[in-house]
Amino acid sequence: MRRKLVAGNWKMFGLKTDLGEIEKIAAAAAANPQVDVALCVPFTLIAPAVAVAAGLPIGAQDLHEADKGPHTGCISGAMLAELGATLTIVGHSERRADQHETSHDAWAKAAAARRHGLKVILCCGETEAEHNAGRAERIVQSQIEKSLPDLAGPEWLTLAYEPRWAIGTGKTPSLEDIAAMHAIGRAKLRTMVGDAADGIRILYGGSVTGTNAEAILATDNVDGALVGGASLTAEKFVPIIEAAARVSR
Ligand code: PEP
């Protein structure tokens, strides 16, 4: 059985004054041991978060595909590992939109993370226009095909299905649509990695809150959540961890 994973993505939010929130989230994670919890914070908060968040895996939100080199302003997997990060997000739709990253970039970044022992949350998801045009299935299949790293396995890879139109908008797909897209993701994984696909967690991301989390997390093939806005405070994030614990009983 796949354990639920609730991962927070702090995006470009958070200063040292917010470390108290991370301590509270770490305490909630410890109190709900049937669920895996992780927090992906800005680069600047990785080391301070590791220092206060005993037992809570702290991750990054991106890395460069190269191990080192003349890449001004970028950060490598080795640097993240040295800071104490144990995972990273790659291919987030905000990076695809803002930094024009492609699925091939996500593939190379996932491979770089793997070289440095970092677990990977690989994001995929269609835009609103693609959704409305009935192209979600094809887009997500193609993103998985192009960005899935070699030898992808459940011990280090998690997929996150995040319809772009649901991110930060308060809109979510129906539970039926979420189940259908996750089944499509699982089937695609199976064509690429065979039986290992059964162990790879597929998270749902997009406007998950304490109110809708339990129903989403109880949906077929939903193995957890990637949470943006509602992960920024313990008050909003802990109810999502608790919802995951309830559906894991
Ligand atoms: C995200 O950025 O990955 C995300 C899911 O954001 P939000 O929860 O705010 O929609």
Side-chain angles (χ1 to χ4, degrees):
M1 185 183 150
R2 296 180 295 267
R3 282 168 61 85
K4 302 280 187 214
L5 168 62
V6 178
N9 172 13
W10 273 25
K11 312 190 184 196
M12 201 173 71
F13 295 101
L15 297 169
K16 282 190 182 171
T17 46
D18 299 301
L19 287 171
E21 297 300 323
I22 297 180
E23 280 182 274
K24 287 186 218 161
I25 290 166
N32 291 279
Q34 62 274 63
V35 177
D36 293 334
V37 181
L39 208 52
C40 295
V41 297
F43 299 137
T44 49
L45 274 189
I46 291 174
V50 169
V52 300
L56 176 69
I58 298 295
Q61 302 161 22
D62 182 47
L63 77 168
H64 196 277
E65 67 190 64
D67 296 339
K68 57 181 166 181
H71 305 294
T72 303
C74 298
I75 194 159
S76 73
M79 293 167 184
L80 296 178
E82 189 174 73
L83 289 171
T86 55
L87 72 147
T88 183
I89 296 170
V90 303
H92 192 279
S93 62
E94 285 159 7
R95 291 205 62 87
R96 291 177 191 256
D98 299 350
Q99 276 76 34
H100 312 294
E101 287 186 5
T102 64
S103 291
H104 180 78
D105 295 326
W107 172 83
K109 286 170 182 243
R114 181 70 181 138
R115 284 197 295 280
H116 295 285
L118 299 168
K119 294 182 180 172
V120 171
I121 299 176
L122 173 66
C123 299
C124 61
E126 80 285 358
T127 63
E128 185 149 37
E130 290 161 348
H131 178 78
N132 292 340
R135 296 179 59 222
E137 174 172 346
R138 232 170 332 131
I139 293 292
V140 166
Q141 286 172 330
S142 159
Q143 287 173 339
I144 295 173
E145 193 165 309
K146 291 180 183 149
S147 57
L148 200 76
D150 304 337
L151 301 175
E155 63 295 345
W156 66 279
L157 184 86
T158 297
L159 192 68
Y161 168 61
E162 300 204 301
R164 286 196 204 182
W165 50 275
I167 293 183
T169 59
K171 297 189 224 171
T172 53
S174 67
L175 297 177
E176 291 73 24
D177 283 353
I178 293 174
M181 290 305 296
H182 280 233
I184 285 163
R186 178 88 50 214
K188 184 68 195 171
L189 287 175
R190 182 169 283 286
T191 65
M192 297 181 72
V193 300
D195 288 348
D198 288 337
I200 294 178
R201 292 187 280 203
I202 306 180
L203 312 185
Y204 167 78
S207 297
V208 175
T209 65
T211 307
N212 63 21
E214 189 160 342
I216 291 172
L217 290 165
T219 299
D220 273 356
N221 274 310
V222 176
D223 306 312
L226 182 55
V227 184
S231 71
L232 290 172
T233 61
E235 189 188 0
K236 290 189 173 161
F237 197 41
V238 173
I240 300 173
I241 297 169
E242 291 171 345
R246 281 195 297 280
V247 302
S248 301
R249 276 193 199 121

